Short mmCIF file of all heavy atoms in Angstrom, two decimals:
data_model
loop_
_atom_site.label_atom_id
_atom_site.label_comp_id
_atom_site.label_asym_id
_atom_site.label_seq_id
_atom_site.Cartn_x
_atom_site.Cartn_y
_atom_site.Cartn_z
N GLN A 343 28.38 25.65 31.34
CA GLN A 343 29.21 24.51 31.69
C GLN A 343 28.58 23.15 31.38
O GLN A 343 29.30 22.14 31.32
CB GLN A 343 29.58 24.58 33.18
CG GLN A 343 30.59 25.67 33.51
CD GLN A 343 31.96 25.40 32.90
OE1 GLN A 343 32.48 24.30 32.98
NE2 GLN A 343 32.54 26.42 32.28
N ASN A 344 27.27 23.12 31.17
CA ASN A 344 26.64 21.83 30.83
C ASN A 344 27.10 21.31 29.47
O ASN A 344 26.95 20.13 29.17
CB ASN A 344 25.12 21.96 30.83
CG ASN A 344 24.55 22.01 32.24
OD1 ASN A 344 25.30 21.95 33.20
ND2 ASN A 344 23.25 22.13 32.35
N ALA A 345 27.67 22.22 28.64
CA ALA A 345 28.18 21.80 27.34
C ALA A 345 29.58 21.21 27.45
O ALA A 345 30.10 20.66 26.48
CB ALA A 345 28.18 22.97 26.37
N CYS A 346 30.20 21.33 28.61
CA CYS A 346 31.51 20.74 28.85
C CYS A 346 31.31 19.31 29.34
O CYS A 346 30.76 19.09 30.42
CB CYS A 346 32.30 21.56 29.88
SG CYS A 346 33.93 20.88 30.28
N ILE A 347 31.77 18.34 28.56
CA ILE A 347 31.44 16.93 28.84
C ILE A 347 32.63 16.12 29.36
O ILE A 347 32.51 14.92 29.56
CB ILE A 347 30.89 16.25 27.58
CG1 ILE A 347 31.91 16.33 26.43
CG2 ILE A 347 29.54 16.85 27.18
CD1 ILE A 347 31.59 15.45 25.25
N GLY A 348 33.76 16.78 29.60
CA GLY A 348 34.89 16.02 30.11
C GLY A 348 36.22 16.72 29.86
O GLY A 348 36.27 17.93 29.63
N LYS A 349 37.28 15.92 29.88
CA LYS A 349 38.63 16.47 29.71
C LYS A 349 39.56 15.35 29.26
O LYS A 349 39.34 14.17 29.54
CB LYS A 349 39.13 17.07 31.03
CG LYS A 349 40.40 17.91 30.89
CD LYS A 349 40.63 18.78 32.11
CE LYS A 349 41.81 19.71 31.87
NZ LYS A 349 41.96 20.70 32.96
N ILE A 350 40.61 15.72 28.52
CA ILE A 350 41.66 14.76 28.18
C ILE A 350 42.70 14.78 29.29
O ILE A 350 43.22 15.84 29.65
CB ILE A 350 42.32 15.12 26.83
CG1 ILE A 350 41.29 15.08 25.70
CG2 ILE A 350 43.46 14.15 26.52
CD1 ILE A 350 41.85 15.44 24.35
N ASN A 351 43.00 13.60 29.86
CA ASN A 351 43.97 13.57 30.96
C ASN A 351 45.40 13.59 30.42
O ASN A 351 45.64 13.57 29.21
CB ASN A 351 43.73 12.36 31.88
CG ASN A 351 43.97 11.02 31.18
OD1 ASN A 351 44.70 10.93 30.19
ND2 ASN A 351 43.37 9.97 31.71
N LYS A 352 46.36 13.64 31.31
CA LYS A 352 47.76 13.80 30.92
C LYS A 352 48.29 12.61 30.14
O LYS A 352 49.29 12.71 29.43
CB LYS A 352 48.62 14.03 32.17
CG LYS A 352 48.35 15.36 32.85
CD LYS A 352 49.26 15.55 34.06
CE LYS A 352 49.00 16.90 34.72
NZ LYS A 352 49.87 17.11 35.90
N GLU A 353 47.61 11.46 30.27
CA GLU A 353 48.02 10.27 29.53
C GLU A 353 47.41 10.22 28.13
O GLU A 353 47.68 9.31 27.35
CB GLU A 353 47.62 9.00 30.29
CG GLU A 353 48.46 8.74 31.54
CD GLU A 353 48.10 9.70 32.67
OE1 GLU A 353 46.88 9.97 32.84
OE2 GLU A 353 49.02 10.19 33.35
N GLY A 354 46.55 11.21 27.81
CA GLY A 354 45.96 11.27 26.48
C GLY A 354 44.64 10.57 26.33
O GLY A 354 44.13 10.43 25.21
N PHE A 355 44.02 10.16 27.44
CA PHE A 355 42.73 9.49 27.36
C PHE A 355 41.60 10.47 27.69
O PHE A 355 41.71 11.25 28.65
CB PHE A 355 42.67 8.31 28.33
CG PHE A 355 43.54 7.16 27.95
CD1 PHE A 355 44.70 6.89 28.66
CD2 PHE A 355 43.22 6.34 26.87
CE1 PHE A 355 45.53 5.83 28.31
CE2 PHE A 355 44.03 5.28 26.52
CZ PHE A 355 45.18 5.02 27.23
N PRO A 356 40.51 10.43 26.92
CA PRO A 356 39.37 11.29 27.25
C PRO A 356 38.62 10.74 28.46
O PRO A 356 38.37 9.54 28.55
CB PRO A 356 38.50 11.22 25.99
CG PRO A 356 38.84 9.90 25.37
CD PRO A 356 40.28 9.64 25.70
N GLN A 357 38.31 11.61 29.37
CA GLN A 357 37.52 11.24 30.55
C GLN A 357 36.19 12.00 30.47
O GLN A 357 36.15 13.22 30.64
CB GLN A 357 38.28 11.60 31.83
CG GLN A 357 39.57 10.81 32.00
CD GLN A 357 40.31 11.19 33.27
OE1 GLN A 357 40.45 12.35 33.62
NE2 GLN A 357 40.82 10.18 33.97
#
Side-chain angles (χ1 to χ4, degrees):
Q343 288 293 314
N344 284 1
C346 178
I347 58 168
K349 192 164 186 173
I350 298 179
N351 65 23
K352 292 181 179 180
E353 288 73 41
F355 290 108
Q357 296 180 316

